[in-house]
Amino acid sequence: MGSDSITTEVIRHALISSADEMARNLCRTAYNTIVYEIHDYGVGIHDFQGDVVADTPGIASFTGANDFGIKNALEFLGADSLADGDVILLNYPYWSCAHTLDALVFAPVFVGDKLLGFTSCRVHLLDLNQKDPGYVLDSTDMSQEGVYFPAVRLYQRGVPSRDIFNMIRFNSRMPEHTIGDVQAQVSACQTGARRLIEIAQRFGVDIVAAAMQQINDHGEQLTLAALARLPKGSWTASDFVDSDGIDSETLIPLRVRVTVTDSKMVVDWSETSEPARGPINVPRGLTVADTMLAFKALTSPDSPVTAGNFRPLEVITKPGSLMHALPPMPTFTLWTGILVPEVITRALAQGMPDLVPACSGGDVCDIMMVGGAEQPGGPWLEAVNDAVGFGAHSQGDGEDGIMHVSEPGCRNSPVEVLETKAPLLIEEYRYRPDSGGPGRFRGGMGIVRTYRALQPASAIVINYKTRTRPWAIAGGMEGVSNQVLLHPETDHERSVGASYNQLLAGERIRNLTGGGGGWGDPWLRDPGLVLADVLAGLVSPDAARDSYAVVLDPTGTAVDSAATERLRRQEDPGANSGGKAPAGRQWPSEN
């Protein structure tokens, strides 16, 4: 039995609403702020094969990772072994597509004896007995990265497994929070299951199953239509991760080839062939999921996610490599995946510079504070993903101070929450002037946030994009790199990348996040826009002159039009060809 288009659309919106309700339930019941404040989660509703038909914004890569995890679990367990009331826990990285702490919980949904689909919820748990509290930056083997659950039943036919919950409890430094968050995941999945059953009871099981198929078929049609409109070709690009976590001096290269045809996009990572010694290796499922993010943004950004969107996408990886980790390769620090969408975009920018943005600040810029192990009440942990500047594009400036492209549904932690939940004082939180790359359209500004520890604490810097700069497009200038300063404005100030750092009470750490790359020749930027940025404190008067060739009057509140014209004519070798500087012009390397 089929489903007519109107009924399918009603069911589609009901599924999306159900996924949104799952997320609200999760945020109301979760114990840790990484979930309910930052929205570090992935929530979805899937058909009986595990293909997503509805999700809600959070960590974008979790959508594809949940599909991948469910399908691997079904292959391991066998779909016939599932029963109504089962709830499955999976955090084995090579199957679940994330590190041990990004645990996937999912539940089969039965209507009568028919398996209609699944509900899923992935969150970042605080601790599962990984070798270091908080985060692992230097593991060399999977055995150092925590306890693994290879598709085990948390609940079997509605009955909780005391053995599994005890394993979690006795393998966590923060058992109350960890158990609480797992149960919040279970609650979210059960909420979605109830809603899916209600939809099936209203419309009929066969109608809903048919609608799910049509939703994914339509998602494929949208993507194919978009591919047909795109420029065709094959392009390569490279970028670098700061280090593998073991050798801090050696940049780790990523290289991709992207090929666009009328019917598919092929993203080939096989030239990124060597594995990393440290934990920045990525399971294939996460490489695919992060690739899906770039593909979705290019082909169908304005429609909800469905598995059908990605049928025309082919991802090639080499088993045993950085982009296709196999056991026992370490995978805990998955920051390599954060770079995936922007390396793909860099390749596409060669063939379609008017359709893609320049590089963003390029990182999630996470500072995690852990302390209190010997204090009454036990250890505490708070993490902050600070915002970056987005890359400029052919239609305008990049956004200032926004969450990285890999986490479009996420938020940063408010100052009030951090200072309430942990012994921290946030001394400043502002935009980072001159961090956005100059251009006809400038890159977005990064931010500055300074943390003071009120008790001894470990400050874990999880930032792998401090040694290379955000790239630009069409003659724009690079953005300013991420930087983290330990003990700022003291004799002991030093810049650190990914690292463990001990702070005494009163000591500080400062996060300066990267700005986006610029788009187009900066000397073609409207001087009035440059003035507006100066007055807003985003661009300094010196940068206005040096990067944009815009001169302000003595008051600094207006453009000196005559002086600006003279400067641009005098210093611009391309003045006789319309004022546009020739290709290959050397712009300043710093703002």
Side-chain angles (χ1 to χ4, degrees), residues 221-549:
Q221 293 165 10
L222 290 175
T223 299
L224 288 172
L227 284 172
R229 295 190 296 267
L230 291 177
K232 308 303 184 292
S234 186
W235 309 278
T236 62
S238 300
D239 208 340
F240 297 89
V241 186
D242 277 357
S243 77
D244 65 359
I246 306 298
D247 176 4
S248 61
E249 299 301 318
T250 302
L251 291 167
I252 306 299
L254 297 180
R255 184 170 178 82
V256 70
R257 176 175 291 277
V258 183
T259 302
V260 178
T261 72
D262 280 331
S263 60
K264 69 162 50 175
M265 178 184 289
V266 180
V267 180
D268 186 352
W269 295 99
S270 58
E271 291 187 38
T272 306
S273 59
E274 296 301 317
R277 183 183 173 201
I280 65 166
N281 299 292
V282 183
R284 172 175 163 81
L286 187 56
T287 297
V288 173
D290 284 319
T291 301
M292 288 164 60
L293 171 58
F295 182 71
K296 175 70 174 171
L298 182 66
T299 57
S300 55
D302 298 324
S303 64
V305 170
T306 75
N309 291 141
F310 309 107
R311 290 174 185 166
L313 173 65
E314 179 183 351
V315 181
I316 300 172
T317 57
K318 179 181 178 181
S321 69
L322 180 72
M323 309 306 290
H324 188 150
L326 298 174
M329 292 169 61
T331 63
F332 197 96
T333 312
L334 298 172
W335 252 240
T336 307
I338 291 171
L339 301 185
V340 161
E342 294 192 301
V343 182
I344 293 171
T345 303
R346 188 173 196 174
L348 293 171
Q350 298 169 54
M352 49 190 86
D354 291 343
L355 299 180
V356 297
C359 188
S360 78
D363 209 313
V364 170
C365 302
D366 194 327
I367 291 184
M368 181 177 287
M369 306 288 278
V370 184
E374 300 177 358
Q375 300 288 332
W380 55 268
L381 184 155
E382 289 296 327
V384 179
N385 295 354
D386 274 326
V388 297
F390 261 35
H393 49 90
S394 63
Q395 302 301 308
D397 297 344
E399 294 289 337
D400 301 316
I402 195 169
M403 305 308 287
H404 186 261
V405 65
S406 63
E407 46 179 8
C410 292
R411 311 183 303 190
N412 57 10
S413 288
V415 170
E416 296 82 0
V417 170
L418 291 170
E419 294 183 342
T420 299
K421 294 290 184 179
L424 298 172
L425 180 66
I426 310 303
E427 292 193 338
E428 64 175 335
Y429 188 25
R430 57 181 174 83
Y431 287 128
R432 184 184 182 188
D434 292 338
S435 56
R440 179 179 181 182
F441 300 110
R442 66 160 175 80
M445 301 296 159
I447 64 97
V448 180
R449 181 142 54 170
T450 301
Y451 305 80
R452 182 185 293 273
L454 302 181
Q455 295 177 6
S458 175
I460 305 173
V461 176
I462 316 171
N463 194 327
Y464 281 79
K465 191 66 175 171
T466 64
R467 300 175 61 193
T468 53
R469 297 182 61 155
W471 45 269
I473 294 179
M477 294 169 64
E478 296 173 330
V480 174
S481 302
N482 299 288
Q483 185 181 32
V484 179
L485 295 178
L486 188 64
H487 311 307
E489 299 165 347
T490 72
D491 293 340
H492 304 291
E493 177 182 301
R494 61 188 178 94
S495 182
V496 297
S499 57
Y500 303 100
N501 305 279
Q502 298 304 314
L503 298 180
L504 299 176
E507 292 184 330
R508 300 180 301 158
I509 189 167
R510 178 173 294 159
N511 204 11
L512 301 97
T513 72
W519 194 99
D521 187 338
W523 283 21
L524 297 182
R525 185 166 178 81
D526 182 344
L529 295 177
V530 177
L531 174 64
D533 285 341
V534 172
L535 295 177
L538 301 178
V539 172
S540 67
D542 286 346
R545 178 185 178 91
D546 296 341
S547 296
Y548 294 98

Side-chain angles (χ1 to χ4, degrees), residues 137-260:
L137 302 177
D138 58 358
S139 54
T140 55
D141 186 273
M142 62 182 284
S143 63
Q144 302 168 329
E145 298 184 345
V147 61
Y148 295 98
F149 295 94
V152 299
R153 287 174 172 82
L154 280 170
Y155 285 74
Q156 188 164 14
R157 297 182 182 272
V159 178
S161 171
R162 182 174 298 178
D163 291 343
I164 298 300
F165 278 103
N166 280 338
M167 283 186 65
I168 297 171
R169 180 173 289 109
F170 284 88
N171 281 281
S172 179
R173 300 172 181 89
M174 303 177 186
E176 180 181 359
H177 282 72
T178 302
I179 291 289
D181 287 339
V182 170
Q183 289 286 39
Q185 290 177 267
V186 173
S187 180
C189 288
Q190 291 175 334
T191 296
R194 286 196 300 271
R195 296 295 175 256
L196 184 53
I197 291 169
E198 289 171 1
I199 295 168
Q201 290 172 338
R202 177 181 176 187
F203 294 98
V205 176
D206 292 339
I207 294 288
V208 173
M212 288 179 170
Q213 178 65 43
Q214 290 169 13
I215 288 167
N216 275 320
D217 289 345
H218 181 251
E220 180 183 19
Q221 293 165 10
L222 290 175
T223 299
L224 288 172
L227 284 172
R229 295 190 296 267
L230 291 177
K232 308 303 184 292
S234 186
W235 309 278
T236 62
S238 300
D239 208 340
F240 297 89
V241 186
D242 277 357
S243 77
D244 65 359
I246 306 298
D247 176 4
S248 61
E249 299 301 318
T250 302
L251 291 167
I252 306 299
L254 297 180
R255 184 170 178 82
V256 70
R257 176 175 291 277
V258 183
T259 302
V260 178

